[in-house]
Amino acid sequence: KGQGAGGEENQVAMATMAERLDAHAAALEVESEVDAGINARVGAWVENAEGMDIDDIDFEPDQEDPADRLEFTNPNLASQFAKGNLILYVPSTAPKRGQDDHPLAQPPKDEDYHGINRLKELLLPDDKGNTCIRLLDGRELMRYIAEGGTMKRRQEMEVSHPHLFANEQLVQILLDEMAKERKCRDTKGEDFIFFPGIVAVSYAWADPSHPDPNGDQMRQLGPATEWYLSERSRLRQRVKRELNASGYPEAKISENEAPNTVMFGVFLDYMCLHQAPFSEVEEEYYKRAQFNVGILYAHERTMVFQVAETPSENAERRYDKRGWCRLEQRLAELVAPSENLLNISLFAGCRLAKKHEYGTVAAYKKTGTKLASQGDGGITATTLKATRIGIPVFVQDFRTEMWKKAFTFPDDMDVCVKIYMICSRPLLAEKKELLLNSRKLNEEEWGQLPGMLNICEALDTIVMQEVGMSGRMTQQIFRNLEASALGHLTYLDLSQNEQLGDTGACVLAEALGMTSHLDTKCCGMMLKRGKASVPIILSRLRYLLVQKCGIKAHGGAMLLEAIGKARDLGVFDLSHNAIGDAGMRGFDGLRAGELPKMLDLRLASCGFGDLGMCSMIEAMSLGVMPKVEASGEAETGKGKVNLSGNAYPQAREAFAAVLREREGGSSQLFRSKTSSAAAIAKLKSVVGKK
């Protein structure tokens, strides 16, 4: 960065700068194709970097400067770079161009986590007869474990137990099932198959030299494998009846269903990937597989078995301490439904495990009907749901997590970060829902939330009921959001966060577009005018729910005026917040024609009386909320307003008069207001409103 009029430069060492800027790595997302441009967030970082103290860093003039290869899309960034005020930090984990031109060496796209095309390239033999990842046959694995089999390198297993691997025909059946199930689900809107045909196992290596030297983890996997086969058999019989009657010929299943149609494939890294020592060809396929292994955990139609109990005396070998295990769980939580992540270490304590002798050699000979009778239709699966880590995180937050985890090989941390970056970027960009009901977030998670929201470009629904969200946390989140964040958000539910209060309500008001705060005296309280401190990013909302959030008069007034800026808002719930008459003064700031799509206004038990009701009636008489036509709980063809739990005896006549005129049509609303005008004037004189 230039210093002083004389242009004296700070001495900057690129290596040390990389270390100093590690906390900014998320903002400095420089792709391998740096000539394609730089993310706009880099420009934002440059603007905020004026105060950085880098005097104590040495300069290395031999470092290659990529200036000649950059095309800047941000004018401020271009200007800063031209003046020599910016040094670019390119993470060493970024993939290098030209390293491998194979399709599997290219970063996965969003559709790869929902479709089967990339899985086909990974799981089926290529034109040379080689396979990156070989799935294990679930039924054969069940027998192998029952007979005392232990984990061995893939290369050894291919020689000694070739039948243990799923053949090409079975893999194709499983992939077709994934595609067919998605088609049926999209067509009918129902999720037919809850037990996917591909299972990825997440477990911790018990020893650096071997993942499971004593076979303890394999013994946990055996009974769970038979149970899963039983559930697929049971579900398949029900699905067969439903699909055969549904009129979808492509989904029909023969009455004499072959046993392998309920089979499934299992991914265990040590047995399914080539392991060192490699041949040259094996190493090539291993690298491609490692680059793509995240798809098996992050795909929306795969199941993840978590072996969370690691029988190791070394505390650092425990599942929750291992870096690879954290990566696999993070990937499984990106887009897949919560029931697709199961902790099978809990299976031994389940009712079914005690009722049936799961995991025996005899289980291999059981018929499909017998297996189906052992399942319970998903009850056990519910009890096995793994405890979720929390909100999805941005790349740099994940890197911070990795520093706290243990790795057998130090270089593995960079590999995990790279895999997470490759997988999370397209998945978070297309994530549409964030559902965190009744889950108390800790301080670290609140700090991670803005970074995640900034890259969830397609997010349209946020439900954070009863998560302990306070006004201070609301400020922290929204002040760290970019102006382009939440561009598609239409549904926001923050209900039952009683610490949100007026502070949080004011932040929401600013995000709705409230640029000039109310300066009206409300019962002796002056609402301050000030510059908005958060970007206007909620103007497209259709649903805003903030019931039971501890909002008082100040916050209520701000929100009621601010919702007028959201032209598409159809449902607003402020119920069970003690905003009182002063809070209802927010209606005074609304103008004719605002809230044109409001269909459901909920102000139940808000503690207001005739004075507060007067403000709402005046706004309605001017044409605010033209679609709302009823009071109390009653509904009409246009909309409703819920005012239950509030006492306004003197205002009922004026309210009824306004509703009568509105029912006569909007053309009469402004021409003839005799009765309503007289009623409103009378009400104002009674309540003393000027």
Side-chain angles (χ1 to χ4, degrees):
K1 172 180 167 183
Q3 184 180 36
E8 201 174 326
E9 295 185 353
N10 286 306
Q11 297 182 342
V12 180
M14 290 295 290
T16 310
M17 176 63 93
E19 209 172 287
R20 292 284 298 273
L21 294 184
D22 200 38
H24 299 281
L28 296 173
E29 286 189 55
V30 182
E31 302 285 342
S32 58
E33 291 138 331
V34 290
D35 53 34
I38 300 292
N39 190 291
R41 285 194 290 275
V42 180
W45 175 80
V46 173
E47 293 175 351
N48 296 325
E50 297 295 328
M52 286 191 66
D53 180 15
I54 52 178
D55 292 337
D56 57 339
I57 305 176
D58 296 327
F59 178 64
E60 293 181 8
D62 294 332
Q63 291 288 341
E64 180 183 356
D65 192 338
D68 297 335
R69 296 186 286 118
L70 290 175
E71 295 178 5
F72 294 97
T73 57
N74 184 291
N76 178 63
L77 182 60
S79 173
Q80 295 288 343
F81 200 95
K83 296 176 182 178
N85 293 345
L86 172 65
I87 292 176
L88 292 177
Y89 163 49
V90 183
S92 60
T93 56
K96 298 179 180 179
R97 186 191 302 177
Q99 191 172 12
D100 189 347
D101 58 359
H102 192 277
L104 288 177
Q106 309 310 313
K109 300 178 181 178
D110 168 47
E111 58 264 26
D112 295 327
Y113 298 91
H114 307 282
I116 63 172
N117 290 336
R118 200 172 186 96
L119 286 176
K120 282 185 176 180
E121 295 182 26
L122 281 171
L123 305 178
L124 292 174
D126 59 14
D127 53 3
K128 298 179 182 178
N130 298 320
T131 309
C132 286
I133 298 174
R134 293 200 66 183
L135 293 180
L136 301 171
D137 184 317
R139 196 181 187 96
E140 293 290 342
L141 178 64
M142 178 178 66
R143 182 170 69 167
Y144 177 75
I145 296 173
E147 293 174 345
T150 59
M151 290 190 197
K152 297 180 181 178
R153 294 169 63 246
R154 168 177 163 176
Q155 293 95 316
E156 296 177 26
M157 297 299 296
E158 287 178 327
V159 175
S160 62
H161 293 78
H163 62 280
L164 194 57
F165 295 93
N167 58 43
E168 184 176 348
Q169 180 185 8
L170 175 56
V171 173
Q172 188 64 62
I173 288 174
L174 297 175
L175 292 173
D176 290 344
E177 176 191 291
M178 294 174 70
K180 185 182 296 182
E181 185 277 333
R182 181 170 177 81
K183 182 177 180 181
C184 291
R185 177 182 174 219
D186 292 345
T187 304
K188 294 197 67 178
E190 299 177 11
D191 200 353
F192 284 112
I193 298 178
F194 302 99
F195 298 93
I198 295 179
V199 174
V201 181
S202 174
Y203 67 101
W205 281 41
D207 186 84
S209 61
H210 192 280
D212 192 27
N214 300 320
D216 295 320
Q217 299 190 83
M218 286 285 273
R219 281 190 287 275
Q220 292 186 57
L221 187 60
T225 302
E226 183 185 342
W227 162 75
Y228 196 75
L229 188 64
S230 300
E231 292 291 6
R232 277 178 59 81
S233 300
R234 178 188 177 94
L235 185 61
R236 180 64 66 163
Q237 287 190 357
R238 179 178 69 83
V239 171
K240 177 175 63 176
R241 293 191 298 269
E242 292 183 3
L243 292 184
N244 284 347
S246 67
Y248 292 96
E250 74 277 7
K252 285 186 179 294
I253 303 170
S254 169
E255 290 295 332
N256 298 318
E257 182 179 13
N260 68 351
T261 57
V262 297
M263 286 304 303
F264 62 98
V266 179
F267 171 76
L268 272 166
D269 60 353
Y270 194 66
M271 301 172 73
C272 298
L273 302 178
H274 292 104
Q275 301 296 324
F278 304 107
S279 67
E280 186 175 342
V281 173
E282 289 171 349
E283 185 175 13
E284 177 186 356
Y285 280 83
Y286 171 79
K287 288 181 178 179
R288 290 175 185 169
Q290 187 186 59
F291 188 72
N292 292 274
V293 72
I295 294 179
L296 290 170
Y297 294 93
H299 199 284
E300 70 167 352
R301 305 313 305 165
T302 59
M303 175 66 74
V304 176
F305 276 5
Q306 189 182 68
V307 187
E309 293 184 9
T310 306
S312 174
E313 296 180 359
N314 186 347
E316 287 195 354
R317 310 303 305 183
R318 292 202 330 244
Y319 184 91
D320 60 338
K321 299 293 185 181
R322 307 302 297 170
W324 278 100
C325 298
R326 174 53 65 98
L327 167 68
E328 289 156 2
Q329 185 168 1
R330 278 292 187 193
L331 293 177
E333 293 184 2
L334 284 174
V335 293
S338 59
E339 60 267 21
N340 283 20
L341 176 60
L342 303 181
N343 179 3
I344 64 169
S345 293
L346 302 175
F347 182 73
C350 293
R351 179 185 62 83
L352 280 182
K354 298 174 182 177
K355 180 179 179 182
H356 303 285
E357 293 184 4
Y358 282 101
T360 63
V361 177
Y364 181 78
K365 300 179 181 179
K366 292 179 182 178
T367 64
T369 302
K370 176 61 177 177
L371 288 170
S373 68
Q374 297 181 165
D376 59 13
I379 297 175
T380 298
T382 303
T383 65
L384 296 181
K385 276 188 181 181
T387 302
R388 299 179 74 82
I389 300 174
I391 63 171
V393 294
F394 193 34
V395 176
Q396 183 54 29
D397 293 323
F398 180 75
R399 183 191 296 271
T400 303
E401 286 186 0
M402 289 294 97
W403 279 107
K404 303 174 184 177
K405 300 300 177 182
F407 292 91
T408 301
F409 307 104
D411 290 346
D412 280 1
M413 191 190 79
D414 286 339
V415 175
C416 286
V417 172
K418 179 178 177 180
I419 292 173
Y420 185 79
M421 178 179 69
I422 291 169
C423 294
S424 65
R425 184 172 296 162
L427 289 178
L428 290 180
E430 61 90 31
K431 188 176 181 65
K432 294 185 177 181
E433 293 183 345
L434 179 62
L435 309 177
L436 296 173
N437 287 356
S438 304
R439 188 189 184 284
K440 304 295 183 183
L441 303 183
N442 57 41
E443 286 290 333
E444 182 180 11
E445 290 172 327
W446 284 117
Q448 294 170 345
L449 189 58
M452 190 274 291
L453 293 177
N454 277 328
I455 58 174
C456 291
E457 301 171 359
L459 201 64
D460 64 11
T461 299
I462 296 179
V463 179
M464 298 178 66
Q465 294 184 11
E466 207 175 354
V467 295
M469 190 173 186
S470 67
R472 181 183 63 82
M473 293 169 180
T474 310
Q475 282 183 326
Q476 174 184 327
I477 292 170
F478 279 86
R479 286 178 177 174
N480 286 284
L481 292 181
E482 299 171 0
S484 59
L486 305 182
H488 295 87
L489 189 68
T490 60
Y491 190 103
L492 178 61
D493 185 355
L494 302 178
S495 301
Q496 302 183 60
N497 289 292
E498 297 185 3
Q499 301 300 315
L500 190 74
D502 284 350
T503 301
C506 291
V507 172
L508 293 175
E510 291 182 2
L512 283 164
M514 188 73 172
T515 54
S516 58
H517 298 182
L518 286 172
D519 58 358
T520 309
K521 261 192 175 180
C522 298
C523 298
M525 177 180 63
M526 180 69 75
L527 301 183
K528 298 180 180 180
R529 181 187 300 273
K531 183 180 179 182
S533 58
V534 301
I536 302 173
I537 54 179
L538 300 181
S539 58
R540 298 177 182 83
L541 278 183
R542 296 179 184 174
Y543 298 82
L544 177 57
L545 312 179
V546 287
Q547 62 169 308
K548 294 184 180 179
C549 284
I551 300 172
K552 306 297 183 183
H554 186 176
M558 288 285 292
L559 269 180
L560 284 172
E561 182 174 359
I563 60 174
K565 311 299 180 185
R567 300 287 298 177
D568 295 326
L569 194 64
V571 177
F572 177 55
D573 190 353
L574 191 59
S575 299
H576 302 284
N577 290 289
I579 65 172
D581 289 331
M584 292 290 282
R585 292 292 295 268
F587 278 109
D588 295 342
L590 296 177
R591 300 292 179 263
E594 291 188 334
L595 297 175
K597 298 182 180 180
M598 179 63 69
L599 288 172
D600 192 355
L601 177 64
R602 306 171 191 172
L603 298 173
S605 302
C606 284
F608 60 83
D610 291 314
L611 181 60
M613 193 64 181
C614 184
S615 295
M616 191 186 86
I617 293 172
E618 280 192 288
M620 293 181 70
S621 71
L622 294 173
V624 175
M625 301 181 296
K627 293 182 179 292
V628 174
E629 297 289 347
S631 61
E633 294 287 355
E635 295 188 29
T636 69
K638 290 190 174 181
K640 63 180 180 179
V641 53
N642 186 351
L643 303 172
S644 61
N646 300 289
Y648 49 95
Q650 303 295 329
R652 292 188 180 278
E653 181 182 354
F655 189 38
V658 170
L659 290 179
R660 280 197 302 271
E661 290 194 0
R662 287 161 65 97
E663 289 173 2
S666 58
S667 60
Q668 300 179 16
L669 187 57
F670 302 106
R671 295 179 184 176
S672 177
K673 299 185 292 183
T674 307
S675 59
S676 64
I680 292 173
K682 178 182 177 181
L683 176 62
K684 292 175 69 172
S685 66
V686 171
V687 300
K689 181 178 180 181
K690 298 181 180 180

